[in-house]
Short mmCIF file of all heavy atoms in Angstrom, two decimals:
data_model
loop_
_atom_site.label_atom_id
_atom_site.label_comp_id
_atom_site.label_asym_id
_atom_site.label_seq_id
_atom_site.Cartn_x
_atom_site.Cartn_y
_atom_site.Cartn_z
N SER A 1 -5.01 -3.11 -5.89
CA SER A 1 -6.05 -2.35 -6.58
C SER A 1 -5.49 -1.01 -7.06
O SER A 1 -4.50 -0.49 -6.53
CB SER A 1 -7.23 -2.09 -5.65
OG SER A 1 -6.85 -1.20 -4.61
N GLY A 2 -6.16 -0.44 -8.06
CA GLY A 2 -5.76 0.88 -8.53
C GLY A 2 -5.86 1.92 -7.43
O GLY A 2 -5.03 2.84 -7.34
N THR A 3 -6.86 1.78 -6.59
CA THR A 3 -7.02 2.70 -5.46
C THR A 3 -5.85 2.59 -4.50
O THR A 3 -5.32 3.61 -4.02
CB THR A 3 -8.34 2.39 -4.71
OG1 THR A 3 -9.42 2.52 -5.62
CG2 THR A 3 -8.53 3.32 -3.53
N ALA A 4 -5.41 1.37 -4.22
CA ALA A 4 -4.27 1.17 -3.33
C ALA A 4 -3.00 1.78 -3.92
O ALA A 4 -2.19 2.38 -3.20
CB ALA A 4 -4.07 -0.32 -3.06
N ILE A 5 -2.83 1.64 -5.22
CA ILE A 5 -1.65 2.22 -5.88
C ILE A 5 -1.68 3.74 -5.77
O ILE A 5 -0.67 4.39 -5.49
CB ILE A 5 -1.58 1.77 -7.34
CG1 ILE A 5 -1.27 0.26 -7.41
CG2 ILE A 5 -0.50 2.56 -8.09
CD1 ILE A 5 -1.32 -0.31 -8.81
N THR A 6 -2.86 4.34 -5.97
CA THR A 6 -2.98 5.79 -5.83
C THR A 6 -2.66 6.23 -4.40
O THR A 6 -1.97 7.24 -4.19
CB THR A 6 -4.40 6.25 -6.21
OG1 THR A 6 -4.67 5.87 -7.56
CG2 THR A 6 -4.54 7.76 -6.08
N LEU A 7 -3.15 5.49 -3.42
CA LEU A 7 -2.81 5.80 -2.02
C LEU A 7 -1.31 5.67 -1.78
O LEU A 7 -0.70 6.53 -1.12
CB LEU A 7 -3.57 4.86 -1.08
CG LEU A 7 -5.07 5.11 -0.93
CD1 LEU A 7 -5.74 3.93 -0.23
CD2 LEU A 7 -5.34 6.41 -0.17
N ALA A 8 -0.71 4.61 -2.32
CA ALA A 8 0.72 4.41 -2.15
C ALA A 8 1.51 5.55 -2.78
O ALA A 8 2.49 6.04 -2.20
CB ALA A 8 1.14 3.07 -2.77
N GLU A 9 1.09 5.98 -3.96
CA GLU A 9 1.78 7.09 -4.62
C GLU A 9 1.68 8.37 -3.80
O GLU A 9 2.63 9.16 -3.74
CB GLU A 9 1.20 7.30 -6.02
CG GLU A 9 1.56 6.17 -6.99
CD GLU A 9 0.82 6.28 -8.31
OE1 GLU A 9 -0.18 7.05 -8.38
OE2 GLU A 9 1.22 5.61 -9.28
N GLY A 10 0.53 8.58 -3.15
CA GLY A 10 0.37 9.75 -2.29
C GLY A 10 1.31 9.71 -1.10
O GLY A 10 1.82 10.75 -0.65
N ILE A 11 1.54 8.52 -0.58
CA ILE A 11 2.47 8.37 0.54
C ILE A 11 3.91 8.58 0.08
O ILE A 11 4.68 9.33 0.70
CB ILE A 11 2.31 6.97 1.18
CG1 ILE A 11 0.93 6.85 1.84
CG2 ILE A 11 3.43 6.70 2.19
CD1 ILE A 11 0.58 5.43 2.27
N LEU A 12 4.28 7.94 -1.02
CA LEU A 12 5.66 8.02 -1.51
C LEU A 12 6.05 9.44 -1.91
O LEU A 12 7.22 9.82 -1.80
CB LEU A 12 5.84 7.08 -2.71
CG LEU A 12 5.67 5.59 -2.42
CD1 LEU A 12 5.71 4.79 -3.71
CD2 LEU A 12 6.75 5.12 -1.45
N GLN A 13 5.08 10.21 -2.34
CA GLN A 13 5.35 11.59 -2.74
C GLN A 13 5.78 12.45 -1.56
O GLN A 13 6.53 13.42 -1.73
CB GLN A 13 4.10 12.18 -3.40
CG GLN A 13 4.30 13.59 -3.96
CD GLN A 13 3.06 14.12 -4.64
OE1 GLN A 13 2.06 13.42 -4.78
NE2 GLN A 13 3.11 15.37 -5.05
N HIS A 14 5.35 12.09 -0.35
CA HIS A 14 5.59 12.95 0.81
C HIS A 14 6.41 12.28 1.92
O HIS A 14 6.81 12.98 2.86
CB HIS A 14 4.25 13.40 1.38
CG HIS A 14 3.42 14.17 0.42
ND1 HIS A 14 3.73 15.45 0.02
CD2 HIS A 14 2.27 13.85 -0.24
CE1 HIS A 14 2.83 15.89 -0.84
NE2 HIS A 14 1.93 14.94 -1.01
N LEU A 15 6.65 10.99 1.82
CA LEU A 15 7.37 10.27 2.88
C LEU A 15 8.72 9.81 2.33
O LEU A 15 8.79 8.78 1.66
CB LEU A 15 6.52 9.09 3.36
CG LEU A 15 6.73 8.61 4.80
CD1 LEU A 15 6.33 9.70 5.79
CD2 LEU A 15 5.93 7.35 5.06
N SER A 16 9.76 10.55 2.61
CA SER A 16 11.07 10.31 1.98
C SER A 16 11.71 9.00 2.41
O SER A 16 12.58 8.48 1.71
CB SER A 16 12.01 11.47 2.28
OG SER A 16 12.26 11.60 3.67
N ARG A 17 11.29 8.44 3.54
CA ARG A 17 11.91 7.20 4.00
C ARG A 17 11.43 5.97 3.24
O ARG A 17 11.93 4.86 3.45
CB ARG A 17 11.70 7.01 5.50
CG ARG A 17 10.25 6.95 5.98
CD ARG A 17 10.25 6.84 7.51
NE ARG A 17 8.91 6.83 8.10
CZ ARG A 17 8.26 7.90 8.52
NH1 ARG A 17 8.81 9.10 8.35
NH2 ARG A 17 7.07 7.80 9.08
N LYS A 18 10.47 6.16 2.33
CA LYS A 18 10.01 5.06 1.48
C LYS A 18 10.34 5.37 0.02
O LYS A 18 10.04 6.46 -0.48
CB LYS A 18 8.49 4.86 1.63
CG LYS A 18 8.04 4.47 3.04
CD LYS A 18 8.57 3.10 3.43
CE LYS A 18 8.11 2.70 4.82
NZ LYS A 18 8.62 1.38 5.24
N ARG A 19 10.98 4.42 -0.66
CA ARG A 19 11.40 4.66 -2.04
C ARG A 19 10.52 3.94 -3.06
O ARG A 19 10.66 4.13 -4.27
CB ARG A 19 12.84 4.19 -2.24
CG ARG A 19 13.06 2.69 -2.05
CD ARG A 19 14.50 2.29 -2.38
NE ARG A 19 14.73 0.86 -2.13
CZ ARG A 19 14.43 -0.11 -2.98
NH1 ARG A 19 13.88 0.19 -4.15
NH2 ARG A 19 14.68 -1.36 -2.67
N GLY A 20 9.62 3.11 -2.61
CA GLY A 20 8.75 2.38 -3.53
C GLY A 20 7.81 1.48 -2.75
O GLY A 20 7.88 1.40 -1.52
N TRP A 21 6.90 0.79 -3.50
CA TRP A 21 5.97 -0.12 -2.84
C TRP A 21 6.12 -1.53 -3.42
O TRP A 21 6.58 -1.70 -4.55
CB TRP A 21 4.52 0.36 -2.98
CG TRP A 21 4.01 0.49 -4.40
CD1 TRP A 21 3.97 1.63 -5.16
CD2 TRP A 21 3.44 -0.55 -5.20
NE1 TRP A 21 3.43 1.37 -6.39
CE2 TRP A 21 3.09 0.04 -6.45
CE3 TRP A 21 3.20 -1.91 -5.02
CZ2 TRP A 21 2.52 -0.69 -7.50
CZ3 TRP A 21 2.64 -2.64 -6.05
CH2 TRP A 21 2.30 -2.04 -7.28
N VAL A 22 5.72 -2.51 -2.64
CA VAL A 22 5.69 -3.90 -3.08
C VAL A 22 4.36 -4.50 -2.63
O VAL A 22 3.79 -4.10 -1.62
CB VAL A 22 6.86 -4.73 -2.51
CG1 VAL A 22 8.17 -4.32 -3.15
CG2 VAL A 22 6.92 -4.61 -1.00
N ASN A 23 3.89 -5.47 -3.39
CA ASN A 23 2.59 -6.08 -3.10
C ASN A 23 2.75 -7.26 -2.14
O ASN A 23 2.40 -8.40 -2.44
CB ASN A 23 1.93 -6.53 -4.41
CG ASN A 23 0.47 -6.89 -4.24
OD1 ASN A 23 -0.08 -7.66 -5.02
ND2 ASN A 23 -0.19 -6.34 -3.22
N THR A 24 3.29 -6.96 -0.98
CA THR A 24 3.49 -7.95 0.07
C THR A 24 3.86 -7.20 1.34
O THR A 24 3.98 -5.98 1.34
CB THR A 24 4.61 -8.95 -0.30
OG1 THR A 24 4.71 -9.96 0.72
CG2 THR A 24 5.95 -8.25 -0.42
N HIS A 25 4.02 -7.92 2.44
CA HIS A 25 4.49 -7.28 3.67
C HIS A 25 5.91 -6.78 3.47
O HIS A 25 6.74 -7.44 2.86
CB HIS A 25 4.44 -8.27 4.82
CG HIS A 25 5.01 -7.72 6.10
ND1 HIS A 25 4.35 -6.80 6.89
CD2 HIS A 25 6.22 -7.94 6.70
CE1 HIS A 25 5.09 -6.49 7.93
NE2 HIS A 25 6.23 -7.17 7.84
N ALA A 26 6.21 -5.58 3.94
CA ALA A 26 7.55 -5.03 3.78
C ALA A 26 7.85 -4.06 4.90
O ALA A 26 6.95 -3.50 5.52
CB ALA A 26 7.68 -4.31 2.44
N GLU A 27 9.14 -3.87 5.14
CA GLU A 27 9.62 -2.87 6.09
C GLU A 27 10.82 -2.18 5.45
O GLU A 27 11.11 -2.39 4.28
CB GLU A 27 9.99 -3.52 7.43
CG GLU A 27 8.79 -4.11 8.17
CD GLU A 27 9.17 -4.73 9.49
OE1 GLU A 27 10.37 -4.83 9.77
OE2 GLU A 27 8.26 -5.11 10.25
N GLY A 28 11.52 -1.37 6.21
CA GLY A 28 12.65 -0.66 5.65
C GLY A 28 12.19 0.44 4.73
O GLY A 28 11.28 1.20 5.05
N ASP A 29 12.81 0.54 3.54
CA ASP A 29 12.49 1.64 2.64
C ASP A 29 11.43 1.29 1.60
O ASP A 29 11.21 2.05 0.66
CB ASP A 29 13.75 2.16 1.95
CG ASP A 29 14.43 1.11 1.08
OD1 ASP A 29 13.96 -0.05 1.05
OD2 ASP A 29 15.42 1.46 0.42
N LEU A 30 10.75 0.17 1.78
CA LEU A 30 9.66 -0.21 0.89
C LEU A 30 8.33 -0.20 1.63
O LEU A 30 8.24 -0.63 2.78
CB LEU A 30 9.90 -1.60 0.29
CG LEU A 30 11.04 -1.72 -0.73
CD1 LEU A 30 11.21 -3.17 -1.15
CD2 LEU A 30 10.79 -0.83 -1.94
N LEU A 31 7.30 0.29 0.96
CA LEU A 31 5.95 0.33 1.51
C LEU A 31 5.23 -0.96 1.12
O LEU A 31 5.07 -1.25 -0.06
CB LEU A 31 5.20 1.55 0.95
CG LEU A 31 3.69 1.62 1.18
CD1 LEU A 31 3.36 1.66 2.67
CD2 LEU A 31 3.12 2.85 0.48
N GLY A 32 4.79 -1.71 2.11
CA GLY A 32 4.10 -2.96 1.83
C GLY A 32 2.61 -2.77 1.65
O GLY A 32 1.96 -2.06 2.41
N ILE A 33 2.06 -3.38 0.59
CA ILE A 33 0.62 -3.38 0.34
C ILE A 33 0.14 -4.82 0.34
O ILE A 33 0.52 -5.62 -0.51
CB ILE A 33 0.27 -2.74 -1.02
CG1 ILE A 33 0.87 -1.35 -1.15
CG2 ILE A 33 -1.24 -2.70 -1.20
CD1 ILE A 33 0.67 -0.72 -2.53
N GLU A 34 -0.68 -5.16 1.32
CA GLU A 34 -1.25 -6.50 1.39
C GLU A 34 -2.58 -6.52 0.61
O GLU A 34 -3.46 -5.70 0.86
CB GLU A 34 -1.51 -6.91 2.83
CG GLU A 34 -2.12 -8.29 2.97
CD GLU A 34 -2.55 -8.62 4.39
OE1 GLU A 34 -2.46 -7.73 5.26
OE2 GLU A 34 -2.97 -9.77 4.62
N SER A 35 -2.71 -7.45 -0.32
CA SER A 35 -3.94 -7.59 -1.11
C SER A 35 -4.65 -8.87 -0.70
O SER A 35 -4.06 -9.95 -0.69
CB SER A 35 -3.63 -7.64 -2.61
OG SER A 35 -3.09 -6.42 -3.06
N VAL A 36 -5.92 -8.74 -0.35
CA VAL A 36 -6.74 -9.88 0.05
C VAL A 36 -7.93 -9.96 -0.90
O VAL A 36 -8.57 -8.96 -1.19
CB VAL A 36 -7.24 -9.72 1.51
CG1 VAL A 36 -8.12 -10.90 1.90
CG2 VAL A 36 -6.06 -9.57 2.47
N ARG A 37 -8.23 -11.17 -1.37
CA ARG A 37 -9.39 -11.39 -2.24
C ARG A 37 -10.31 -12.41 -1.57
O ARG A 37 -9.92 -13.57 -1.40
CB ARG A 37 -8.93 -11.91 -3.62
CG ARG A 37 -8.03 -10.93 -4.38
CD ARG A 37 -8.81 -9.71 -4.82
NE ARG A 37 -7.99 -8.70 -5.47
CZ ARG A 37 -7.49 -7.65 -4.83
NH1 ARG A 37 -7.71 -7.47 -3.53
NH2 ARG A 37 -6.76 -6.76 -5.47
N GLU A 38 -11.50 -11.94 -1.21
CA GLU A 38 -12.41 -12.83 -0.50
C GLU A 38 -13.86 -12.42 -0.74
O GLU A 38 -14.19 -11.23 -0.83
CB GLU A 38 -12.11 -12.84 1.00
CG GLU A 38 -12.28 -11.50 1.69
CD GLU A 38 -11.89 -11.53 3.16
OE1 GLU A 38 -11.04 -12.35 3.53
OE2 GLU A 38 -12.44 -10.72 3.94
N GLY A 39 -14.73 -13.38 -0.86
CA GLY A 39 -16.17 -13.15 -0.93
C GLY A 39 -16.58 -12.16 -2.00
O GLY A 39 -16.09 -12.16 -3.12
N ASP A 40 -17.51 -11.27 -1.62
CA ASP A 40 -18.04 -10.27 -2.54
C ASP A 40 -17.79 -8.87 -2.00
O ASP A 40 -18.61 -7.97 -2.15
CB ASP A 40 -19.55 -10.51 -2.75
CG ASP A 40 -20.09 -9.75 -3.95
OD1 ASP A 40 -19.36 -9.64 -4.96
OD2 ASP A 40 -21.23 -9.25 -3.89
N VAL A 41 -16.64 -8.66 -1.38
CA VAL A 41 -16.30 -7.39 -0.75
C VAL A 41 -16.15 -6.31 -1.83
O VAL A 41 -15.30 -6.44 -2.72
CB VAL A 41 -14.99 -7.51 0.04
CG1 VAL A 41 -14.63 -6.16 0.68
CG2 VAL A 41 -15.11 -8.59 1.11
N PRO A 42 -16.92 -5.22 -1.77
CA PRO A 42 -16.82 -4.16 -2.79
C PRO A 42 -15.48 -3.43 -2.75
O PRO A 42 -14.98 -2.98 -3.77
CB PRO A 42 -17.97 -3.20 -2.43
CG PRO A 42 -18.90 -4.00 -1.59
CD PRO A 42 -18.04 -4.98 -0.85
N GLY A 43 -14.92 -3.28 -1.54
CA GLY A 43 -13.63 -2.61 -1.45
C GLY A 43 -13.37 -2.03 -0.07
O GLY A 43 -14.18 -1.28 0.46
N ILE A 44 -12.25 -2.41 0.52
CA ILE A 44 -11.79 -1.85 1.79
C ILE A 44 -10.33 -1.44 1.61
O ILE A 44 -9.52 -2.23 1.10
CB ILE A 44 -11.90 -2.87 2.94
CG1 ILE A 44 -13.35 -3.30 3.15
CG2 ILE A 44 -11.32 -2.29 4.23
CD1 ILE A 44 -13.52 -4.45 4.15
N HIS A 45 -10.00 -0.22 1.99
CA HIS A 45 -8.62 0.26 1.91
C HIS A 45 -8.21 0.85 3.24
O HIS A 45 -8.96 1.62 3.83
CB HIS A 45 -8.48 1.31 0.80
CG HIS A 45 -8.67 0.75 -0.57
ND1 HIS A 45 -9.92 0.64 -1.14
CD2 HIS A 45 -7.79 0.23 -1.45
CE1 HIS A 45 -9.79 0.07 -2.35
NE2 HIS A 45 -8.52 -0.17 -2.55
N GLU A 46 -7.03 0.48 3.69
CA GLU A 46 -6.58 0.87 5.02
C GLU A 46 -5.11 1.27 4.97
O GLU A 46 -4.27 0.56 4.40
CB GLU A 46 -6.78 -0.30 5.98
CG GLU A 46 -6.56 0.03 7.43
CD GLU A 46 -6.97 -1.14 8.33
OE1 GLU A 46 -8.16 -1.27 8.64
OE2 GLU A 46 -6.08 -1.93 8.69
N VAL A 47 -4.80 2.42 5.54
CA VAL A 47 -3.43 2.89 5.71
C VAL A 47 -3.14 2.92 7.20
O VAL A 47 -3.90 3.49 7.98
CB VAL A 47 -3.23 4.29 5.09
CG1 VAL A 47 -1.80 4.78 5.32
CG2 VAL A 47 -3.56 4.29 3.61
N ARG A 48 -2.01 2.32 7.60
CA ARG A 48 -1.69 2.17 9.01
C ARG A 48 -0.32 2.78 9.31
O ARG A 48 0.66 2.51 8.61
CB ARG A 48 -1.66 0.68 9.40
CG ARG A 48 -2.95 -0.05 9.14
CD ARG A 48 -2.74 -1.57 9.15
NE ARG A 48 -2.18 -2.05 10.40
CZ ARG A 48 -2.91 -2.49 11.42
NH1 ARG A 48 -4.24 -2.51 11.33
NH2 ARG A 48 -2.35 -2.92 12.52
#
């Protein structure tokens, strides 16, 4: 989602150990963003 990308950009701007994001599970120097599409969910965003 656009919201998730904005959150990811906020993290990458301040967390030097991450150089980019990918739309899947990731470790190392990539930030993983898991996208789930189900039912009629208006929107849930979680940073862990």
Side-chain angles (χ1 to χ4, degrees):
S1 68
T3 301
I5 292 174
T6 301
L7 287 167
E9 290 172 345
I11 293 169
L12 295 174
Q13 185 178 356
H14 299 290
L15 207 64
S16 62
R17 59 183 178 268
K18 298 294 181 180
R19 64 175 177 83
W21 60 264
V22 290
N23 193 204
T24 184
H25 175 75
E27 294 181 352
D29 62 357
L30 290 176
L31 168 61
I33 306 174
E34 179 188 5
S35 295
V36 178
R37 298 291 176 264
E38 62 184 28
D40 195 36
V41 179
I44 299 172
H45 293 87
E46 189 172 276
V47 178
R48 301 163 58 93

